Amino acid sequence: MAVALPAAVTSAYERLAGEFDKLSTTQKYAVGIAGGVTSLYLLAKVLKGSDRDKPTTLQLSGGSIDSSKVKDEFTAYADSYGKNAGEGITDRSKTVHLVDVFYSLVTDIYEWGWGQSFHFSPKLPNKDLKASEAAHEARIAALLRLQPGQKALDCGCGVGGPMRTVAAVSGAHITGITINQYQVDRAKTHNARQGLAPLTDVVRGDFTNMPFKENTFDGAYAIEATCHAPKLEQVYGEIYRVLKPGSYFVSYEWVSTQKFDVNNAEHVKIMDEINFGNGLPEMRTWKEAEDAGKNVGFELVMSLDLATASVVAGPWEGASSTGSGAGLSPSTAWYERLRMGKYTHAINHGIVSTVDALGLAPKGLKEVHHMLVEVAKSLIQGGESGIFTPMHLLLFRKPGADKKK
Ligand SMILES: C=C(CC[C@@H](C)[C@H]1CC[C@H]2C3=CC[C@H]4[C@H](C)[C@@H](O)CC[C@]4(C)[C@H]3CC[C@]12C)C(C)C
Ligand SMILES: C[S@@+](CC[C@H](N)C(=O)[O-])C[C@H]1O[C@@H](n2cnc3c(N)ncnc32)[C@H](O)[C@@H]1O
């Protein structure tokens, strides 16, 4: 169908064409080159995106690592994992540094391909992924009984997706701590852009040695983060120290379940792959996580795998002690989101490999992305076999004052 252009447009076009015809050949080339450069510049601007809510392909960086060092840092990271079954990071004293490196390497890719909340969520019936994710985060505010004016700690806060939800639904002030400076910068930028700067703060620090005074916070939480600690007692002990007596700490833990058999080579292989692709020193059992909290002085209030919603230990008001007594039952397993579209991982890998090859992303990012493609498979295997959960809910209370109502 022919489209009739307005007369003003056609006459302007004819005038321009007339002027162009009058130019010499050299001038025509110059205009052509200028036009080409301008178009490329505009195209690059579109691809690059003008805001930083989500990195575009051309913005994928090595986080706090200089782009010239990404490949070497990734090689050093990979070499830090032992070759023996179940070994994990061989020199545990390097764990905190390696986790910092890991998050420099993956943070942009996570934001690009997943979002601002670096965790899984049980998919709720009749709710989409984003609503389910927000509900998973808002549950924290409810379990901690957070009130406006109170102060809570987000232990291992990533780029702050959960912190913004918890602050927004509770009105409490949230301080996040992360080992990675690039994440601090990203989280602060997002907090400001989303109007949550007054209710939030983000600091760089090691959660096994935190820069906060004892008895500072009215509540604390960790979402899929304390699994990175060289020893769980180190981070739980620090959280215990900075919490006010009578306050709660809730964690969504990455642990092996009762179905995990340490003598099953296939189980151990899956766990090794999960450890490597996620920057974990080793995988703990759900029981080790419970015990770590008790060992540092916490009372265990609730222990519940949200992947299956079976209560392992109680009591909790309204929850029975077996089966899906808490009334929580995900409609779709947490790992289904990881499957994404049939070809999404391959397409994403093609995109990252292309920008890497063209020098538009740091060299080595292709290898990092490959690690993530592989770990997605291992996480799905861990979920399908039921030997692993990324969401074992542990609710602890620091004794010493009247129970919060
Ligand atoms: C709690 C942790 C991180 C949990 C998840 C947020 C991430 C675990 C695996 C990640 C991903 C796997 C596949 C990637 C895909 C190949 C890529 O194209 C886009 C990003 C992924 C989907 C990526 C996103 C984040 C994860 C789901 C750990 C570290 C303790
Ligand atoms: C998978 S991310 C989860 C982030 C956030 N809880 C979320 O759900 O979006 C794990 C986080 O733990 C942090 N972390 C790991 N080890 C840490 C340490 N020793 N000290 C402080 N933060 C640490 C990482 O920097 C990262 O921010």
Side-chain angles (χ1 to χ4, degrees), residues 69-366:
K69 303 214 171 80
V70 163
K71 198 163 188 152
D72 289 348
E73 288 286 355
F74 178 65
T75 306
Y77 169 82
D79 289 347
S80 69
Y81 280 81
K83 303 282 168 281
N84 303 320
E87 201 174 358
I89 294 179
T90 44
D91 181 352
R92 296 287 160 89
S93 69
K94 297 208 175 107
T95 304
V96 175
H97 166 71
L98 290 166
V99 172
D100 187 10
V101 168
F102 174 83
Y103 279 105
S104 274
L105 298 174
V106 302
T107 292
D108 273 349
I109 301 181
Y110 276 18
E111 278 202 58
W112 174 70
W114 193 258
Q116 294 175 9
S117 291
F118 295 175
H119 62 78
F120 294 101
S121 316
K123 167 93 170 50
L124 300 180
N126 206 30
K127 295 280 182 283
D128 66 12
L129 290 173
K130 283 290 154 196
S132 303
E133 183 176 276
H136 196 48
E137 294 167 355
R139 183 192 293 113
I140 299 263
L143 286 169
L144 296 179
R145 296 111 189 267
L146 290 180
Q147 310 281 331
Q150 290 191 325
K151 287 184 294 187
L153 172 68
D154 182 332
C155 207
C157 64
V159 298
M163 154 193 300
R164 289 182 283 282
T165 304
V166 174
V169 298
S170 68
H173 183 278
I174 313 295
T175 300
I177 184 167
T178 164
I179 194 64
N180 185 258
Q181 183 59 47
Y182 184 69
Q183 291 192 335
V184 172
D185 300 339
R186 294 289 295 158
K188 284 188 167 177
T189 304
H190 293 318
N191 290 350
R193 291 179 79 96
Q194 294 172 35
L196 282 155
L199 275 184
T200 53
D201 191 14
V202 190
V203 297
R204 181 180 185 219
D206 178 357
F207 57 34
T208 65
N209 183 17
M210 290 198 268
F212 309 117
K213 291 208 179 81
E214 49 268 35
N215 308 338
T216 301
F217 294 103
D218 301 291
Y221 63 90
I223 304 187
E224 304 188 20
T226 46
C227 50
H228 288 295
K231 268 179 76 72
L232 268 184
E233 276 84 354
Q234 290 175 333
V235 55
Y236 284 2
E238 272 296 88
I239 294 169
Y240 184 92
R241 182 181 67 78
V242 301
L243 268 183
K244 292 180 186 167
S247 302
Y248 290 90
F249 161 51
V250 59
S251 183
Y252 295 154
E253 278 300 334
W254 276 40
V255 288
S256 60
T257 67
Q258 275 154 320
K259 288 192 177 163
F260 175 70
D261 175 4
V262 73
N263 297 312
N264 180 323
E266 188 54 27
H267 286 187
V268 175
K269 181 168 170 281
I270 293 171
M271 292 304 188
D272 278 340
E273 289 164 359
I274 291 178
N275 291 336
F276 169 64
N278 293 288
L280 308 189
E282 63 179 351
M283 184 64 67
R284 280 99 198 197
T285 69
W286 62 275
K287 188 77 178 60
E288 284 167 342
E290 280 188 358
D291 289 344
K294 292 185 205 161
N295 291 344
V296 302
F298 279 121
E299 289 166 2
L300 178 65
V301 181
M302 188 184 202
S303 177
L304 167 74
D305 180 5
L306 293 170
T308 53
S310 51
V311 177
V312 180
W316 180 251
E317 299 99 84
S320 77
S321 60
T322 51
S324 54
L328 307 163
S329 184
S331 67
T332 310
W334 60 267
Y335 49 85
E336 291 302 333
R337 180 179 172 193
L338 251 189
R339 293 191 207 275
M340 308 181 112
K342 195 168 175 206
Y343 302 109
T344 307
H345 291 175
I347 293 169
N348 283 359
H349 196 60
I351 294 171
V352 176
S353 304
T354 306
V355 286
D356 180 302
L358 293 173
L360 299 171
K363 282 272 167 286
L365 221 58
K366 182 175 101 180

